[in-house]
Amino acid sequence: MSIVNQPDENIKLIKGVGSVLANKLNGAGITTVLSLLEYFPRRYEDYSNISKIIDLKPGTVTIKAYIKDIKGRYVRRGFHITEAVASDDSSSVRLIWFNQPYREKGFTPGCLYYISGQFGLQRGRLLILNPSVERDVDFPVNTARILAVYREAKGLKSRQIRKLISECRPMIADMDETLPDWVVRDYKLMSRAQAVEAIHFPESLENLSNAKRRIGFEEVFNLVLACLSAKYEIKSEQTLTVKFNVQLAKEFVKNLPFKLTDDQRLAVMSIYKDLEHHQPMNRLIEGDVGSGKTVVAAMGSLMAIAEGYQVVMMAPTEILARQHANTVYNLLSPMHTENTVALLVGSLTKVEKNRAIKSIASGRAKFIIGTHALIQERVDMHNLALIIIDEQHRFGVNQRQTLIKKAGHMPHVLSLSATPIPRSLALTVFRELSISRLKTNPSGRKNVITKIVMPGIRTRIYEFIDEQIEKGRQVFIVTPLVNESFVSNAVSAEEVFDKLKTGPFKKRRIGLLHGKQKPALKNEIMNEFVMGKLDILVSTTVIEVGVDVPNATIMIIENAERFGLAQLHQLRGRVGRGKYQGYCYLMVGSSQASTSRLRALESSSDGFELAELDLKLRGPGAIYGTIQHGALDLKIAQLNDKTLIAEASEAADMFMAKDNLLKYPRLSEAVAELKMVTNLN
Ligand code: ADP
Ligand code: MG
């Protein structure tokens, strides 16, 4: 093989890799030899037990045998069979390959081969089907071992990846240690090189499990370290403090049209306490849709406004920003504090926008509410104390950071989210975040009746919807994508809209809402729906964070299997908000696997539980969206492996106490990257 000395050499230096293959590898994120070696297997097949043919039992087997009587033929057009006989000193067995005509010329009589595959009964005959075969050499790659199986990418087979990795195998020994030596020693870990070797070419199941422990340990260690060093940085920042005024709090509560829940009261008190410190607040309010996060944010802002500071709230959509502006204005108006709410959204006219920007810069505006426009426009904040980010997970790290920079100093940060952070993540990755949970739903709403709907009974559901519309109720229909072209099969909003308008609901008033429309049009359509001028609203997930429509009772989600559980749970929170029973229908294609995942929604209405399940099934990236949390999708470590997490966290704590990142260039690089993810403000 060609020798590639440095693990970070370009992938094209490996024997057999030309531009075409290199492109495919790049597509799978493999650009260097190092990244190839860090492309870890997805699963394993155990071919390590070599049996005598006479002892073979149905299942995965490996034999060491001679191959003879090789015959190939076309059974019919396009269907080729190669047959052969393998024999060792105990017995012989038939081998069959489908559509692999090259097998006919592939073997040398009189040579010993490793043969691995599935042994079993096929049409009354015992045989090994489509086996992998390799000459009896020192390092068999595809047979006679615990075989690593790799995630296949476009045009890239697991077998190809395995072959390339074995080409580079001699270089593994030269890989640098990435963890501090004392960590490797004290926690009895394999060296990095040993672990990478064993993860690709395990010698035994024990060897493999040690390798996984080492690599998983490092993943968690790095994450926790990122989180700790982010905390360290925040801690060393100072910000202004806001005094608590009990009279003011009492007055606010007295003027509310409802009684705060205990969770709400607790959350507000925690905010007040945080604001009294010089250390910037970093708090997240978690609560289902409708749990009343807005009033917590508004009341949380009260003291800051009373002291003459500014508060900025950023929301992901205009609809939401406008709604919040109203809510906050109404909540503040009975108070004797200054009530100057400024709205900054993309669809304002130039004049309106300039007026808003001016009142923000002069400090007259006390509560500023806006969308991404807050980041885009040249806005100068004046004495900003607190930043509130609504639907926190909808914003990327950079967007949040940019907004914070506009403050000119590190402000207090409060995030609101309906997607809960599962406990296991909260304890490791986000442990520097203070979390307030709103567990009780103030309105005492009934659970939304949720059902998975197979394609066959769609008509029946449509009949039920029509009855509900007849009774005056309204319906949301949510689709995953705007245009068909993105992903085959995905039912697009436009397509559904056209179909319904001319088909089953042609007598009904149907609206269409999606992300590509102009904000003004979106507002108009949403308003029509709110006013009851539309019976059905077909939309993409833009309504995920939409407005309160108590009269809407049915939510239909097309291609529900494409969504995560947490997101589906949020979506269904949009219906059944008034006095009527809510229904959510999850329309699915036919894939059984994803349907069973959705069953959890039929039986559980606990957003925290569902998020935990989502985490287990699909990883953090799926819950929070890849912009923000893709990097949390650990390759090897399981976030529910309590021992591993405890050990790696302990090691990270010790590292912060006695060691220094500057000594470890590769580690600090990894940590810097992860910090972008673990830092929630
Ligand atoms: P979310 O947490 O989804 O942002 P909102 O803040 O929009 O929820 O609140 C949903 C609705 O519940 C609003 O109409 C709000 O006025 C109402 N609400 C909030 N807190 C209470 C409460 N303690 N009792 C009754 N209604 C409440
Ligand atoms: Mg909200």
Side-chain angles (χ1 to χ4, degrees), residues 231-243:
K231 171 197 179 180
Y232 185 78
E233 280 161 22
I234 294 180
K235 246 195 176 151
S236 60
E237 299 257 11
Q238 297 272 305
T239 191
L240 45 87
T241 59
V242 179
K243 267 201 300 294

Side-chain angles (χ1 to χ4, degrees), residues 451 453 458 461-462 464-465 475-479 496 500 505 536-539 543 553-560 563 568 571-572 575 583-587:
K451 288 243 154 32
V453 179
R458 188 179 278 267
I461 301 296
Y462 283 169
F464 175 71
I465 293 176
V475 183
F476 285 112
I477 300 183
V478 179
T479 66
V496 169
L500 295 181
F505 298 109
I536 300 176
L537 183 66
V538 179
S539 82
I543 55 121
T553 55
I554 298 184
M555 163 137 321
I556 294 195
I557 301 169
E558 297 287 350
N559 290 100
F563 296 89
L568 289 168
L571 283 167
R572 73 174 164 183
V575 295
Y583 301 88
C584 174
Y585 295 108
L586 306 171
M587 312 306 246

Side-chain angles (χ1 to χ4, degrees), residues 293-294 324 390-391:
K293 297 183 289 290
T294 319
H324 286 332
D390 191 25
E391 306 293 342

